[in-house]
Amino acid sequence: MARINDNFLKLKAGYLFPEIGRRVGAFTQANPDKAASLIKCGIGDVTEALPEAVREAMHKAVDELGNRDTFRGYGPEQGYDFLREAIADNCYVNLNISADDIFISDGSKCDSGNILDIFGQDNKIAITDPVYPVYVDTNVMIGNTGDADENGRYEGLVYLPCTAENNFVPAIPDEKVDIIYLCYPNNPSGASATREQLAAWVNYAKANDAIILYDAAYEAFIQDPDVPRSIYEIEGAHDCALEFRSFSKNGGFTGVRCGYITIPDSVTGASASGERISIKQLWSRRTSTKFNGASYPVQRGAEAIFSEAGKKQVAELVAHYMGNAKLLREACSEIGLNVFGGENAPYVWVACPEGLTSWDMFDKMLEEANVVITPGSGFGAAGEGYFRISAFNSRENVIEVCTRLKNHL
Ligand code: MLT
C-alpha cells in the first residue's frame, strides 16, 4: 500500500488563486455575455510585454544553443556567475553581499516553499496574518502544523496580526519563535516596513537565535527613498536573515520564471547535537541534489534587466504599474472607502464597505462590476473585511475598473 503524505489532508479547500479562477470560470459559464468585459485584478500577474532588452538577450542565448560551438548543457545548479555577479553588483551595492551568496532559481514561490527542506520539524514558526498563502500551505504540507481551526488558522503556527492599527507591520511577539516570515513591501496589504521596524525584527531574531525569511519580491516598487529595499540594509541582518527576490514583477517574468535567494555565510542554524551549521551550505547541497538550474536563456534574460537599456525599460514598467496603483487608490478614496498600500507596492488594500465580508465583496465586484478582486480573508483570518486590487493591468483596464468601482459602490 502506498501511503500518502497525510499532511496534505489538513489543507483548506484549494489554493487561493485557483479557487478564485474556479469561481470566475463558473460565473463566465453562467453569464457568457459578460465574459468579454470581465477585468481581472485578482492574482498579481503582470500584463505588459517583456522588456525588449530581455527579449534580445533571450533570443541571442537561444541562438547560442543552436550552435554546437556555443551550445551549453547543464549549467551550475546555483546559477551562472554572470547573473549572480550582476545581482550582487546591482541589487546589493555596499551591502556586503557577494555573488556566491546568491542562488538562482525558477522563482520565489518555489524558493519560499523549498526552503523548508533544510529546516527541522520542531521549529516554532511565525507568519503574519494576512499573508502570502504559500508560506502557510508549505508548512502544512511538510508537517509543521496541526489541523486548522474554524478560522483557517493552523495549530502550531504563531500568527502575527497585521492590522490598520499597526500599519500592517506586526508587533514583535512576546514569545520565542525560531523562524519568521516577513514580506515587505507586503503582499497582500501593500504596506512597507520602515528601517526601525525591520531593525526591531532583526534585533529580535538575533536575541532569540531565530532566522528571518524575508520576501522582498516587490522591492522594485518602492518609491520612498527612506524605505529599505533589502533586509541587509539593517545592521545584524547578515547573521539572521535570508532574502527572497524575484524577476517576476519588476521584469515581467511571471511566465518566464526566475528568482533567487540570498544567504550570507554567517547565517547558521543548530543541528540536533547543537552544532552550528551554515544555512548557505545546506541550501547549496539541497540545490545540487534537487535542481539543475534555471534555464540558460532565462538567466541571460534576467541578466539583461541590469543592462542600461534593461534598467530603463524596467523603470518604465514599474512606473506604469505604480501609476495604475495611484488611480485605484484615488478611485477607492473618492467613493469613501478606507484605502491602504499602493504607494510602495503594486497592491491596493481596501476595507470593505460596512456590512460586507471579503467574499461578499468578491461576489459583488464579480457580479455587478464584472471585476475580479482578491478577498482579503483568502490571505488569512485577519484579512477578513478587506479586499485586494492588483495594479498589474493595462492603463485602459484600470481606468475602466475605477469607473466601475464608482458606479457600483
Ligand atoms: C499574488 O497575487 O499574491 C501573487 O501573484 C502570487 C505569487 O506571486 O505567486
Side-chain angles (χ1 to χ4, degrees):
M1 180 175 58
R3 277 288 311 275
I4 56 133
N5 176 350
D6 283 311
N7 294 311
F8 277 66
L9 305 180
K10 298 176 196 161
L11 292 166
K12 302 300 280 180
Y15 180 62
L16 175 62
F17 294 107
E19 174 60 18
I20 289 175
R22 195 188 61 70
R23 290 180 185 226
V24 172
F27 173 77
T28 50
Q29 209 166 17
N31 302 277
D33 52 315
K34 293 197 170 166
S37 59
L38 187 77
I39 303 179
K40 294 184 178 171
C41 295
I43 190 165
D45 193 3
V46 293
T47 55
E48 304 309 293
L50 206 56
E52 190 183 342
V54 171
R55 280 179 280 135
E56 276 173 9
M58 289 177 75
H59 280 301
K60 188 163 166 273
V62 170
D63 287 341
E64 281 177 50
L65 299 182
N67 180 334
R68 201 175 189 290
D69 296 334
T70 49
F71 174 78
R72 297 182 188 229
Y74 291 125
E77 294 91 352
Q78 289 75 7
Y80 282 101
D81 285 345
F82 62 76
L83 180 54
R84 301 172 88 189
E85 278 159 18
I87 293 167
D89 293 348
N90 287 279
C91 302
Y92 292 117
V93 180
N94 297 329
L95 291 184
N96 195 21
I97 294 291
S98 62
D100 73 3
D101 297 334
I102 294 162
F103 295 82
I104 310 298
S105 72
D106 57 351
S108 270
K109 183 182 189 175
C110 320
D111 282 342
S112 57
N114 290 336
I115 197 71
L116 291 176
D117 274 4
I118 62 167
F119 290 107
Q121 297 225 311
D122 40 11
N123 286 307
K124 191 161 242 193
I125 293 167
I127 56 146
T128 58
D129 180 10
V131 75
Y132 179 41
V134 172
Y135 313 152
V136 176
D137 285 6
T138 53
N139 273 289
V140 176
M141 288 173 180
I142 208 162
N144 284 345
T145 74
D147 288 322
D149 66 15
E150 66 282 2
N151 295 317
R153 289 186 153 170
Y154 288 92
E155 186 198 340
L157 292 181
V158 175
Y159 288 87
L160 308 169
C162 292
T163 60
E165 288 67 42
N166 61 20
N167 292 320
F168 303 97
V169 180
I172 303 291
D174 37 28
E175 63 188 300
K176 180 174 163 29
V177 302
D178 305 300
I179 293 176
I180 306 134
Y181 289 83
L182 293 177
C183 170
Y184 288 98
N186 186 250
N187 179 14
S189 70
S192 53
T194 64
R195 207 166 291 281
E196 294 68 33
Q197 287 166 326
L198 292 182
W201 275 105
V202 166
N203 292 340
Y204 170 87
K206 290 196 69 164
N208 289 280
D209 199 6
I211 289 182
I212 296 173
L213 303 179
Y214 191 73
D215 185 345
Y218 297 94
E219 64 79 28
F221 297 88
I222 295 174
Q223 308 292 303
D224 179 343
D226 291 333
V227 170
R229 289 175 172 266
S230 166
I231 191 77
Y232 303 116
E233 291 178 39
I234 310 300
E235 200 183 327
H238 293 70
D239 299 328
C240 64
L242 276 53
E243 183 162 281
F244 299 76
R245 287 207 188 187
S246 166
F247 296 105
S248 285
K249 314 287 162 124
N250 58 346
F253 272 47
T254 52
V256 175
R257 310 304 306 149
C258 196
Y260 54 96
I261 310 188
T262 305
I263 315 180
D265 285 318
S266 39
V267 187
T268 62
S271 72
S273 63
E275 189 189 350
R276 300 307 298 196
I277 308 286
S278 153
I279 295 295
K280 178 173 167 177
Q281 296 305 325
L282 291 185
W283 183 247
S284 187
R285 181 69 182 77
R286 185 259 173 219
T287 302
S288 305
T289 298
K290 289 199 176 182
F291 192 50
N292 265 329
S295 88
Y296 176 67
V298 164
Q299 291 194 60
R300 280 295 185 198
E303 180 194 26
I305 282 181
F306 302 110
S307 64
E308 280 318 304
K311 282 182 194 164
K312 189 168 163 285
Q313 290 157 18
V314 166
E316 285 164 6
L317 281 176
V318 168
H320 166 79
Y321 292 127
M322 291 310 289
N324 287 348
K326 183 166 184 287
L327 292 175
L328 290 164
R329 272 185 64 88
E330 287 167 358
C332 291
S333 296
E334 265 176 50
I335 51 180
L337 297 176
N338 216 351
V339 188
F340 306 90
E343 289 176 318
N344 291 297
Y347 296 125
V348 177
W349 185 244
V350 192
C352 298
E354 193 72 30
L356 293 185
T357 66
S358 298
W359 279 107
D360 289 343
M361 192 62 198
F362 174 85
D363 290 337
K364 184 176 171 63
M365 289 293 288
L366 181 62
E367 287 159 21
E368 295 174 22
N370 219 4
V371 172
V372 181
I373 46 95
T374 309
S377 57
F379 297 102
E384 182 53 272
Y386 290 90
F387 65 102
R388 191 192 78 175
I389 317 180
S390 162
F392 292 111
N393 223 311
S394 65
R395 183 57 50 87
E396 192 191 351
N397 275 351
V398 165
I399 290 172
E400 177 60 22
V401 169
C402 293
T403 305
R404 294 189 198 175
L405 278 165
K406 290 177 196 166
N407 290 344
H408 293 277
L409 290 179

